[in-house]
Amino acid sequence: MSSTLRIAVSEEKGNVPVTILQLTGDLDGKTYSELETKAGEIINAGASNLLFDLSGVGFMGSAGMRALHGISNKIKTAGPNGSAGQMKLLNPSDAVSRVFKTLGFDQHFNIHRDLDEALKSF
Amino acid sequence: MPENEAICRHLRNSIFLSAASEETILELSSQVEFIEAAAGDRIFEKGDLGSALYFVVEGSMRIHDGDIVLTHRGAGEAFGEIGALAALTRTASVTAEIDSQLFKLDKKALFDTMARRPEAAYSFIEALCQRESAMVHDATERAVKAKVTERELAIAQKIQRNFLPDVVPDVPGWKLAGYLQPAREVAGDFYDFFVIPKLGCVGLVIGDVCDKGVGAALFMTLFRSLIRSTSMYRDFVGNDNNADDVTKILQHSIRLTNEYIATTHGQSSMFASVFYGLLIPETGQLCYINAGHESPLIVGASGIRTKLEPTGPVIGLFPDVVHEVKIVEILPDELLVAYTDGATDAKNAAGEQFSEENLLALVANGAPTGGAMVHQIVATVEAFIGGADQYDDITVIAASRGSIE
């Protein structure tokens, strides 16, 4: 039994261009490096506003949290000329929200419940 | 299609036909099919029934199993011999890495030629033996390397055990116990018990460094040592007015550990969830910080009385965070149980989680003393996992307070 993660990438034009990464599957010790690699490619290609749609994530392990934190560090200097980019999260499941709350990540990350509202917040 | 002479030259240079006669080469050259493969084209898939042998004329092929690359085959080399010579399915997939040209030799043509020309069969057997010999050589080298890695990990495991308490402190009126079951050779979980004689209190620590394996194990030693040293040796500084205040020691220790890791190792995004309590054994008073850890439980005869929920986030990521210290009393005949999420997230062969609900039910009706409770939880979770792989480190600690005489 192995966990898998699918990452679908799309673009939305709001006030600023936002890259949406829609995650489906488990974000854990086996899959987090795929997310790191993908997000790294997207940031290196010039994107500085990332929205992670977590509605399809069934299980979030500490390795997944670490990956999200690492990406949030990277995005801090991803804007034009090294300015700060933004990273936000959309719709974590109840189980994933509980993990965020226990670890205290809910205070650190910008978490939204509605796509339009999330896009407008960038 | 290249000229016949070019085909012959190419076949003659292949290790599979190095001992074949000119007649064999000439016969086979009229039967090869010329294939042009674009970069990314799949030549065949693992599991397919093999029907041909391939010679790389130009380009490069990736021999792989999914994402795992086994080897590459370039110009002058051949691949697909297992499927071509035996009634076996393809053992790996082959994909063109760049635009490439191949000669394909059909299985039937190959067998017809070998049946009529023993020297052709001999040439193939010799080439196969050469490949097998090279594989044995590689396998031996890999086994030696694996042995070295295994030995290194065994040493790491032994050293890491020294980062867990070798004896549990003997605290009058209390029974303390802890157990750590690593998922791999080394663990990212830790627990600790230590006495601070000057304050007459006992430190109870359980922690879970994110992820597992070697990286987590390196950080485990750091987290554990920082918490222990900033707690136990604080009065070495001299004239520290806060050194005899339980609350301040807790806050100092967690704050310093958090600050140190977040600033010195911030780039690695490594963090730990930690529950750290200082217990005054005489009164049962427990001052604690819960830094993003699964809530420890205080359990009495009538079940779980209270959950010690997080008082701040995990440590190692967010500088300047101040964790709140809370105080709770463990009454006579009650016990404190703390665990890492390796217990609740443990999965059986069917992929079902042990779950927090099961753990809470087990604890609520569990054994009354520290050691028995730890044993019961570990044994139950291990029985649940059964033959499945243990996915994460599992750690449980407990401290039970005896009856008042």
Side-chain angles (χ1 to χ4, degrees), chain A residues 2-62:
Chain A
S2 68
S3 43
T4 55
L5 179 71
R6 269 178 295 133
I7 308 168
V9 182
S10 57
E11 293 280 340
E12 282 286 339
K13 304 250 176 282
N15 306 325
V16 289
V18 176
T19 306
I20 303 176
L21 289 91
Q22 190 178 5
L23 312 184
T24 311
D26 291 345
L27 186 48
D28 60 15
K30 288 177 187 139
T31 60
Y32 76 94
S33 59
E34 291 167 42
L35 181 64
E36 282 181 341
T37 308
K38 191 68 161 178
E41 284 168 10
I42 291 168
I43 292 170
N44 289 339
S48 57
N49 296 305
L50 302 189
L51 177 64
F52 291 81
D53 182 345
L54 302 179
S55 53
V57 175
F59 177 78
M60 170 85 76
S62 60

Side-chain angles (χ1 to χ4, degrees), chain B residues 74-95:
Chain B
E77 295 184 297
F79 62 90
E81 67 277 11
I82 297 174
L85 293 169
L88 293 171
T89 53
R90 296 293 190 189
T91 50
S93 301
V94 178
T95 305

Side-chain angles (χ1 to χ4, degrees), chain A residues 1 3 26-30 32 34 36 58-74 76 98-99 101-105 107-109, chain B residues 184 208-212 266-271 273 290-295 310 312-314 317-318 341 345 347-353 356-357 391-392:
Chain A
M1 179 197 60
S3 43
D26 291 345
L27 186 48
D28 60 15
K30 288 177 187 139
Y32 76 94
E34 291 167 42
E36 282 181 341
F59 177 78
M60 170 85 76
S62 60
M65 290 289 180
R66 182 182 167 222
L68 288 177
H69 185 267
I71 296 164
S72 79
N73 265 348
K74 206 164 181 182
K76 276 180 196 160
R98 267 203 302 280
V99 180
K101 192 167 187 305
T102 302
L103 300 182
F105 275 62
Q107 303 296 314
H108 179 74
F109 284 120
Chain B
R184 301 181 188 165
D208 180 355
V209 179
C210 61
D211 209 1
K212 51 197 151 290
Q267 282 310 311
S268 62
S269 288
M270 288 299 268
F271 64 87
S273 68
N290 182 348
H293 197 78
E294 301 289 327
S295 305
V314 290
L317 291 184
F318 314 117
D341 59 7
D345 294 347
K347 285 182 182 173
N348 62 14
E352 298 156 335
Q353 274 189 3
E356 192 183 353
E357 289 70 30
Y391 169 76
D392 197 0

Side-chain angles (χ1 to χ4, degrees), chain B residues 175-196:
Chain B
K175 285 200 163 58
L176 312 184
Y179 188 79
L180 191 165
Q181 178 68 51
R184 301 181 188 165
E185 283 81 356
V186 289
D189 276 10
F190 62 100
Y191 69 92
D192 205 1
F193 300 124
F194 49 84
V195 176
I196 306 178

Side-chain angles (χ1 to χ4, degrees), chain B residues 130-312:
Chain B
Q130 276 177 23
R131 282 211 168 162
E132 193 178 346
S133 159
M135 277 164 66
V136 170
H137 181 76
D138 285 355
T140 311
E141 250 181 24
R142 270 202 302 276
V144 170
K145 275 188 194 154
K147 198 89 192 156
V148 172
T149 309
E150 202 180 298
R151 204 178 308 130
E152 288 294 311
L153 277 174
I155 294 168
Q157 189 177 47
K158 208 166 153 192
I159 291 174
Q160 198 185 26
R161 266 196 222 115
N162 293 329
F163 283 84
L164 298 175
D166 51 352
V167 286
V168 174
D170 188 14
V171 183
W174 290 79
K175 285 200 163 58
L176 312 184
Y179 188 79
L180 191 165
Q181 178 68 51
R184 301 181 188 165
E185 283 81 356
V186 289
D189 276 10
F190 62 100
Y191 69 92
D192 205 1
F193 300 124
F194 49 84
V195 176
I196 306 178
K198 192 176 170 189
L199 297 182
C201 68
V202 185
L204 313 172
V205 184
I206 184 167
D208 180 355
V209 179
C210 61
D211 209 1
K212 51 197 151 290
V214 175
L218 289 171
F219 272 86
M220 164 274 187
T221 60
L222 189 55
F223 277 106
R224 183 268 193 180
S225 302
L226 283 170
I227 292 170
R228 183 178 255 251
S229 60
T230 51
S231 302
M232 289 185 73
Y233 307 116
R234 207 169 161 207
D235 52 355
F236 282 20
V237 179
N239 272 345
D240 184 342
N241 293 331
N242 297 325
D244 54 359
D245 183 316
V246 168
T247 305
K248 285 184 173 142
I249 282 202
L250 274 173
Q251 235 156 16
H252 167 81
S253 176
I254 292 295
R255 189 167 184 185
L256 193 143
T257 306
N258 180 50
E259 209 66 28
Y260 177 81
I261 302 212
T263 52
T264 314
H265 300 285
Q267 282 310 311
S268 62
S269 288
M270 288 299 268
F271 64 87
S273 68
V274 172
F275 174 84
Y276 177 16
L278 283 173
L279 173 72
I280 316 280
E282 290 76 27
T283 61
Q285 196 183 68
L286 180 76
C287 297
Y288 68 91
I289 283 176
N290 182 348
H293 197 78
E294 301 289 327
S295 305
L297 312 160
I298 293 180
V299 195
S302 51
I304 294 166
R305 175 166 65 85
T306 184
K307 291 184 182 183
L308 310 183
E309 284 174 1
T311 62

Side-chain angles (χ1 to χ4, degrees), chain A residues 76-110:
Chain A
K76 276 180 196 160
T77 54
N81 304 317
S83 63
Q86 293 187 75
M87 160 177 171
K88 304 189 181 200
L89 308 178
L90 179 66
N91 261 330
S93 69
D94 287 352
V96 173
S97 296
R98 267 203 302 280
V99 180
F100 274 112
K101 192 167 187 305
T102 302
L103 300 182
F105 275 62
D106 53 338
Q107 303 296 314
H108 179 74
F109 284 120
N110 220 309

